[in-house]
Amino acid sequence: MNETLQAQLDDLEARFEALNRARVAAFDWIDELEAENERLSTRLAELEQLVSPDPESVAYEQLTRSQKVHRVRKKLVERAASRQTGKSQMEYKDVKWLFDGHPSPGHCYDLMRLAGKLEGFSYETSDDRSNRVLVNLEGVNDETLIHAANNAHEGRRV
């Protein structure tokens, strides 16, 4: 009977050691996956910049409407990231200034309306003609914008 108990104890110890090795291997694998995910996320952001270059490096006359809208959203996100509230807004004059005075008033408002159509953004109109586009970082899911804001404010996570 004593030999049987010893054999069972030896078997349990061997199983415990095997489970412990498997647990350590699983943690190592998770660490490798997290490192690979970080590497791929960084690479994806780099490739997105190549496919869709930063609209700020393009002359105003060559910007597409979507690039202009992206620039408005990016500026809003950067401003919001620098504030404790995580919120920001732009009015007509801010959008006009962002593009060095180029867009007409109607085009500025079109850009603001379009910028407000993404999750986390909104466009508000009022009777006193103080229309504005707003962002609340908590609602923003666009990784490109979040990455841009993080790069603009190194060390600060959005």
Side-chain angles (χ1 to χ4, degrees):
M1 182 87 145
N2 196 13
E3 291 177 15
T4 305
L5 285 176
Q6 186 60 44
Q8 289 176 342
L9 181 60
D10 291 344
D11 182 52
L12 284 174
E13 286 177 353
R15 288 181 186 196
F16 178 75
E17 288 176 20
L19 284 172
N20 198 33
R21 283 191 303 274
R23 182 182 62 81
V24 168
F27 283 128
D28 288 345
W29 187 56
I30 289 170
D31 289 342
E32 289 173 19
L33 287 174
E34 287 174 342
E36 180 71 359
N37 185 33
E38 180 66 27
R39 187 187 69 75
L40 290 174
S41 294
T42 300
R43 182 68 178 137
L44 176 61
E46 291 169 356
L47 291 173
E48 285 176 337
Q49 286 298 312
L50 291 174
V51 172
S52 178
D54 184 1
E56 291 179 44
S57 65
V58 178
Y60 176 80
E61 296 77 21
Q62 296 175 332
L63 290 172
T64 65
R65 177 181 273 186
S66 71
Q67 287 174 317
K68 293 173 191 174
V69 169
H70 178 79
R71 188 184 289 186
V72 170
R73 288 176 179 153
K74 181 179 171 189
K75 180 56 82 175
L76 282 164
V77 167
E78 287 173 357
R79 285 180 178 176
S82 69
R83 297 181 176 148
Q84 289 192 358
T85 63
K87 297 178 182 179
S88 179
Q89 69 179 22
M90 292 177 80
E91 295 178 350
Y92 160 79
K93 66 182 187 289
D94 302 312
V95 174
K96 186 112 173 140
W97 173 85
L98 182 63
F99 296 103
D100 297 321
H102 287 286
S104 67
H107 193 52
C108 281
Y109 288 116
D110 287 344
L111 296 174
M112 292 166 62
R113 268 191 290 282
L114 291 168
K117 291 185 178 185
L118 186 66
E119 197 169 346
F121 295 84
S122 61
Y123 178 73
E124 293 182 354
T125 59
S126 65
D127 293 333
D128 65 354
R129 299 177 58 103
S130 62
N131 301 355
R132 59 188 174 197
V133 60
L134 304 101
V135 67
N136 181 346
L137 287 181
E138 289 184 13
V140 175
N141 290 327
D142 186 316
E143 291 297 321
T144 306
L145 290 170
I146 293 170
H147 180 73
N150 285 335
N151 282 345
H153 302 282
E154 293 174 355
R156 182 179 181 130
R157 305 308 295 175
V158 176

